[in-house]
C-alpha cells in the first residue's frame, strides 16, 4: 500500500508554555525592585497552583461529560470547612514548633477535606446532576440551586461568621533569599501543586485509566462503543475532581487564614476564566491557565489593584483572540 | 438453515420528533459480508446506530447470536462481540495509533500475531505506530478505525461508509482488506454508497428506502439486474463504473 510521505513529527506546543515566563519578564520593568518581583512571582505561582487544584476536576468533568457544574465552588467551601474543623480541633499540634506535630494536624485535615468534598461530589452527581445530563440550561439552573442549598447548610453547620484559621507554626513566616522575602506557605503551595499536577499527568499519560479518560474527553460515544461504561468512569472522575477541589479549598483557606461560606463561590469566576484560557477539558491547559491567572492577578494587584480581576478577563480575551478554543484545545467529536 | 447472527424484526427508531426507522426487518448471516444500501436519508446509519445501541429502538426486536439485545446498553453490546466503525471514523485524534489500538483491546495488550495480521492488512498502522491519530490522512484514519474494531476477534463488525472520501487507490486497498476480513470468523454489516465497492465485497444485500427494507437477497443477483438497481437505487451499477 502507498501511504504518501512520512507524517510530521508530533512536537510539543511550547508557545502557550512560553507565556508564563513571558508574562513574568514583561512585568519586571514595571516592578520597582527585583526582590519585590521575586516575591510577587512566587506568590503568583502559588496562587496559580491552588487555582489549578480547584479547577482541574471542573475541566475534566466538563470535558468528559459536557456538564456545566456551577456548584463546583461548594466542594471548595466544604473542603475548606472540613479541613478547618480538623485543624482547629488539633490546635496544640498546629501551634507546636515541630514539623512532625504540624503534619499530624495537616495530613488528617487534608484527608478530611478531600473525603468530605469527594463524598459530596458523589452525592451531587447522583441526586442533582444525573437527572439533567445533556441539558446545559437545566444544569446551570440546578447546580446554581444546589450551590445555594449547600451554602445555607454550611451556615447551619458552621455558623455565619468568618472563622479565623492561623497557619501551622512551621509554615508561618518567610524564607529570605537575598533581599526577597518568600513566604514558606507559598513555597509549600507550589510544591503541593506540582505534586498534584505530576500525579495527574502520570495517571492520564501512563495508565489505562488515563487513556480512557483522555479518549472519553474526545469522544465518549466511541468509548462506549468500545465496551466501556463511561458513566462509571465519569462518576469516578467527578468524585476525584470534587476531592481535589476540597484539597484546593483547605489550601486556599490556609492561604487566606480564614474561611467563610462564600470561599468557593468567590473563586468560580476565576476558575471559569482558567478553564476557558486553558481549553475546556484540557488538564495541561488548566495548569498553564491557572499559572497565568495567578501571575497576572499578583502583578496587577500590586501595580493597579482595581484592575486585578479585569486583567484576567483581558488575558482571557487576548488568549481567545489568539486561540479561540483555548491554549490547548481538546479535540471533541 | 442456521439462525442468523443478527436479526431485526419490526424495528422502529425515533430521533426527537422524527420517525426514522419504520419497521426494519432483515438478517445478517453468520458468515460473509452484508451490504446495506440505499439513498441518502434512507435510514442506513440509523440502523447501524440502533444495532449498536447508540440510539434506542422505540419498537421492535433486535436479536444477536440467539439472544434479544434490544434493551442492552452500548457497552454491553460491544462486550457481546459487536464492533462499530462510525461514518466519521471516531478515532481519538489526541491519542497515538498505538494508544487507539490498546484502548480497543479490552482483554489486555493485543497479541503479537494479531498485530502482525493487522499490520499486513494496513501497513500504515505499523509505520505510524507512535504518531498521533489526528495527524493521519483520511485513508489512514479509516484504516485505523477498522484496525481498532478488529484488534481483538469480534463476532459482528458494523462499518458505516468505509470508502467515503477516499482516493481510488485507497479504495482498492480497502477492497483487499475487506476480502481478507471475510476470511475470518467475523461477519460484517457494511453501509456503503460506492456501488463498485459494494459489488466487489458484498455477499448479501439489503436495500433501504424511507426507513424500511425494500429488498433483500444475494449481492450477485442485484449486481446482475440493471433494472432492479435502477428501481431500488435510482441508478445502475453499470452506470457507476
Amino acid at each position: 500500500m502507498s501511504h504518501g510521505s512520512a507524517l510530521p513529527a508530533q512536537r510539543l506546543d511550547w508557545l502557550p508554555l512560553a507565556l508564563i515566563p513571558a508574562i513574568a519578564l514583561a512585568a519586571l520593568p514595571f516592578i520597582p525592585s527585583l526582590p519585590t518581583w521575586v516575591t510577587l512571582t512566587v506568590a503568583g505561582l502559588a496562587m496559580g497552583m491552588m487555582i489549578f487544584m480547584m479547577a482541574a476536576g471542573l475541566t475534566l468533568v466538563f470535558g468528559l461529560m459536557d456538564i456545566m457544574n456551577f456548584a463546583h465552588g461548594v466542594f471548595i467551601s466544604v473542603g475548606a470547612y472540613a479541613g478547618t474543623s480538623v485543624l482547629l480541633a488539633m490546635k496544640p499540634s498546629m501551634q507546636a514548633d515541630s514539623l512532625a506535630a504540624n503534619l499530624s494536624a495537616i495530613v488528617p485535615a487534608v484527608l478530611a477535606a478531600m473525603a468530605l468534598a469527594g463524598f459530596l461530589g458523589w452525592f451531587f452527581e447522583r441526586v442533582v446532576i444525573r437527572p439533567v445530563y445533556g441539558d446545559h440550561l437545566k444544569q446551570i439552573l440546578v447546580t446554581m440551586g444546589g450551590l445555594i442549598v449547600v451554602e445555607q447548610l454550611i451556615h447551619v453547620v458552621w455558623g455565619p461568621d468568618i472563622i479565623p484559621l492561623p497557619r501551622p507554626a512551621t509554615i508561618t513566616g518567610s524564607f529570605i533569599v537575598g533581599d526577597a522575602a518568600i513566604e514558606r506557605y507559598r513555597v509549600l503551595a507550589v510544591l503541593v501543586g506540582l505534586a498534584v499536577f505530576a500525579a495527574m499527568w502520570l495517571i492520564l499519560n501512563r495508565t489505562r485509566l488515563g487513556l480512557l479518560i483522555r479518549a472519553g474527553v474526545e469522544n465518549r460515544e466511541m468509548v462506549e462503543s468500545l465496551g466501556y461504561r463511561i458513566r462509571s468512569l465519569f462518576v469516578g472522575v467527578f468524585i476525584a475532581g470534587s476531592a481535589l477541589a476540597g484539597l484546593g479549598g483547605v489550601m486556599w483557606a490556609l492561604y487566606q487564614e480564614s474561611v467563610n461560606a462564600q470561599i468557593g463561590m468567590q473563586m468560580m469566576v476565576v476558575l471559569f476564566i482558567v478553564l476557558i484560557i486553558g481549553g475546556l477539558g484540557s488538564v495541561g491547559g488548566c495548569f498553564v491557565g491557572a499559572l497565568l491567572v495567578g501571575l497576572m492577578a499578583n502583578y496587577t494587584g500590586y501595580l493597579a489593584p482595581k484592575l486585578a480581576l479585569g486583567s484576567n478577563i483581558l488575558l482571557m480575551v487576548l488568549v481567545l483572540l489568539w486561540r479561540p478554543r483555548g491554549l490547548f484545545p481538546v479535540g471533541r467529536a | 438453515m442456521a439462525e442468523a447472527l443478527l436479526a431485526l424484526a419490526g424495528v422502529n427508531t425515533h430521533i426527537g420528533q422524527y420517525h426514522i426507522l419504520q419497521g426494519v426487518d432483515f438478517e445478517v448471516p453468520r458468515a460473509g459480508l452484508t451490504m446495506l444500501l440505499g439513498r441518502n436519508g434512507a435510514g442506513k446509519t440509523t440502523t447501524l446506530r440502533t444495532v449498536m445501541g447508540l440510539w434506542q429502538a422505540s419498537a421492535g426486536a433486535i436479536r444477536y447470536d440467539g439472544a434479544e439485545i434490544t434493551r442492552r446498553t452500548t457497552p454491553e453490546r460491544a462486550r457481546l462481540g459487536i464492533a462499530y466503525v462510525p461514518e466519521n471514523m471516531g478515532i481519538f485524534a489526541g491519542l497515538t495509533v498505538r494508544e487507539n489500538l490498546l484502548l480497543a483491546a479490552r482483554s489486555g495488550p493485543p497479541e503479537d500475531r494479531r498485530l502482525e495480521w493487522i499490520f499486513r492488512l494496513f501497513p500504515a498502522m505499523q509505520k505510524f505506530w507512535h504518531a498521533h491519530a489526528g495527524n493521519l490522512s483520511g485513508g489512514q484514519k479509516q484504516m485505523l478505525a477498522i484496525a481498532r474494531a478488529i484488534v481483538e476477534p469480534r463476532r459482528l463488525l458494523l462499518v458505516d461508509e468505509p470508502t467515503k472520501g477516499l482516493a481510488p487507490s485507497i479504495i482498492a486497498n480497502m477492497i483487499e482488506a475487506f476480502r481478507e476480513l471475510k476470511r475470518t470468523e467475523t461477519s460484517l454489516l457494511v453501509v456503503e454508497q460506492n456501488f463498485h465497492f459494494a459489488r466487489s465485497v458484498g455477499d448479501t444485500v439489503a436495500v433501504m428506502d424511507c426507513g424500511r427494507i425494500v429488498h433483500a437477497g444475494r449481492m450477485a443477483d442485484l449486481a446482475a439486474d440493471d433494472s432492479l438497481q435502477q428501481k431500488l437505487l435510482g441508478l445502475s451499477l453499470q452506470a457507476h463504473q
Side-chain angles (χ1 to χ4, degrees):
Chain A
M1 289 187 200
S2 167
H3 303 290
S5 58
L7 290 172
Q10 188 74 16
R11 285 180 302 183
L12 176 68
D13 188 5
W14 57 269
L15 270 177
L17 298 173
L19 279 181
I20 298 169
I23 283 189
L25 291 173
L28 186 54
F30 300 100
I31 311 283
S33 72
L34 186 64
T36 307
W37 177 82
V38 171
T39 302
L40 287 172
T41 303
V42 174
L45 292 175
M47 184 180 174
M49 292 293 182
M50 285 183 274
I51 292 172
F52 165 69
M53 284 181 247
M54 292 184 249
L58 189 59
T59 200
L60 275 179
V61 162
F62 184 87
L64 199 57
M65 291 304 279
D66 211 14
I67 295 287
M68 304 283 287
N69 181 17
F70 276 65
H72 191 74
V74 301
F75 308 136
I76 297 169
S77 300
V78 164
Y81 271 95
T84 300
S85 295
V86 173
L87 288 171
L88 292 180
M90 303 180 78
K91 222 169 189 171
S93 301
M94 288 274 285
Q95 289 169 340
D97 199 12
S98 145
L99 183 61
N102 289 171
L103 283 176
S104 72
I106 293 170
V107 171
V110 164
L111 291 177
M114 294 180 75
L116 191 59
F119 174 77
L120 183 65
W122 170 80
F123 179 81
F124 224 82
E125 194 279 334
R126 280 196 81 86
V127 175
V128 178
I129 290 177
R130 195 169 288 189
V132 293
Y133 274 127
D135 189 331
H136 280 159
L137 181 60
K138 284 184 182 171
Q139 285 164 13
I140 292 168
L141 292 173
V142 84
T143 55
M144 285 295 284
L147 181 142
I148 293 166
V149 169
V150 176
E151 269 192 13
Q152 295 308 308
L153 285 174
I154 287 174
H155 284 305
V156 171
V157 175
W158 281 285
D161 299 327
I162 294 174
I163 301 174
L165 178 64
R167 287 179 201 156
T170 52
I171 51 171
T172 304
S174 303
F175 299 112
I176 305 296
V177 181
D179 291 332
I182 299 170
E183 271 190 46
R184 291 180 184 189
Y185 185 71
R186 287 172 175 165
V187 175
L188 176 73
V190 169
L191 294 176
V192 173
L194 283 174
V196 168
F197 178 67
M200 286 187 77
W201 189 89
L202 283 173
I203 289 170
L204 285 172
N205 292 285
R206 291 285 181 267
T207 69
R208 190 170 181 82
L209 175 68
L211 197 57
L212 263 173
I213 293 171
R214 283 158 59 210
V217 168
E218 274 197 48
N219 188 340
R220 51 188 171 273
E221 188 177 273
M222 200 61 228
V223 170
E224 292 218 299
S225 297
L226 292 176
Y228 299 100
R229 286 189 296 272
I230 197 116
R231 283 279 164 91
S232 314
L233 183 67
F234 171 65
V235 173
V237 168
F238 201 94
I239 291 170
S242 307
L244 266 182
L247 169 63
V250 73
M251 296 282 300
W252 192 248
L254 279 166
Y255 182 65
Q256 293 194 317
E257 298 189 85
S258 68
V259 60
N260 65 72
Q262 283 77 43
I263 189 171
M265 186 57 203
Q266 287 161 353
M267 293 304 295
M268 285 306 288
V269 173
V270 172
L271 298 193
F272 278 118
I273 289 174
V274 165
L275 260 58
I276 292 166
I277 286 177
L280 293 166
S282 164
V283 172
C286 177
F287 184 71
V288 174
L291 293 183
L292 290 175
V293 163
L295 288 172
M296 197 79 166
N298 274 271
Y299 293 138
T300 49
Y302 177 80
L303 294 167
K306 288 181 180 172
L307 296 179
L309 182 59
S311 67
N312 279 323
I313 292 172
L314 178 67
L315 177 69
M316 178 175 72
V317 170
L318 292 174
V319 166
L320 293 182
L321 283 172
W322 177 39
R323 293 194 173 185
R325 294 174 62 215
L327 294 175
F328 294 99
V330 175
R332 297 285 295 276
Chain B
M1 188 178 166
E3 187 188 13
L5 179 63
L6 178 75
L8 279 72
V11 170
N12 282 254
T13 299
H14 287 76
I15 301 169
Q17 59 181 326
Y18 299 105
H19 189 181
I20 309 295
L21 299 189
Q22 303 181 15
V24 171
D25 301 278
F26 84 103
E27 294 184 343
V28 174
R30 286 185 174 269
L33 191 152
T34 301
M35 275 292 167
L36 189 57
L37 305 180
R39 297 180 175 93
N40 284 339
K44 307 183 294 296
T45 294
T46 304
T47 301
L48 289 198
R49 290 178 64 85
T50 304
V51 170
M52 199 63 218
L54 295 166
W55 286 330
Q56 283 296 321
S58 47
I62 304 170
R63 290 183 69 79
Y64 167 76
D65 204 13
E68 176 148 350
I69 61 166
T70 319
R71 298 289 152 221
R72 297 256 187 155
T73 63
T74 298
E76 285 172 341
R77 295 181 201 208
R79 285 171 179 272
L80 288 171
I82 304 177
Y84 175 53
V85 180
E87 188 178 353
N88 65 5
M89 297 174 274
I91 61 156
F92 303 114
L95 272 53
T96 63
V97 168
R98 172 182 166 274
E99 288 173 330
N100 269 273
L101 294 182
L102 277 181
L103 192 66
R106 289 192 302 268
S107 53
E111 290 176 10
D112 287 347
R113 280 182 59 198
R114 190 80 183 176
L115 276 182
E116 285 163 13
W117 176 67
I118 287 173
F119 292 157
R120 276 200 305 277
L121 277 179
F122 306 119
M125 298 303 99
Q126 185 171 25
K127 186 175 178 186
F128 299 126
W129 187 237
H130 291 294
H132 278 78
N135 285 352
L136 299 176
S137 71
Q140 289 159 351
K141 283 176 182 167
Q142 187 62 265
M143 291 171 198
L144 173 59
I146 295 169
R148 191 177 59 185
I150 56 170
V151 70
E152 286 180 334
R154 304 280 184 241
R155 197 64 196 85
L156 175 64
L157 178 55
L158 312 173
V159 190
D160 199 348
E161 297 210 36
T163 66
K164 188 178 177 183
L166 300 188
S169 63
I170 304 292
I171 292 176
N173 295 149
M174 279 290 172
I175 289 172
E176 288 309 310
F178 273 82
R179 283 179 176 151
E180 173 69 22
L181 282 176
K182 283 167 60 176
R183 288 193 273 273
T184 68
E185 69 279 20
T186 304
S187 295
L188 296 105
L189 174 60
V190 180
V191 164
E192 189 51 73
Q193 296 277 9
N194 181 318
F195 301 130
H196 169 63
F197 178 86
R199 188 173 64 169
S200 301
V201 296
D203 299 308
T204 53
V205 62
V207 181
M208 292 192 77
D209 195 22
C210 297
R212 290 191 180 87
I213 299 293
V214 293
H215 171 84
R218 292 174 59 236
M219 187 73 215
D221 295 340
L222 178 63
D225 191 337
D226 273 359
S227 62
L228 186 60
Q229 294 160 26
Q230 190 71 44
K231 179 183 159 198
L232 295 172
L233 304 168
L235 81 170
S236 72
L237 297 177
Q238 201 67 36
H240 201 262
Q241 298 303 303

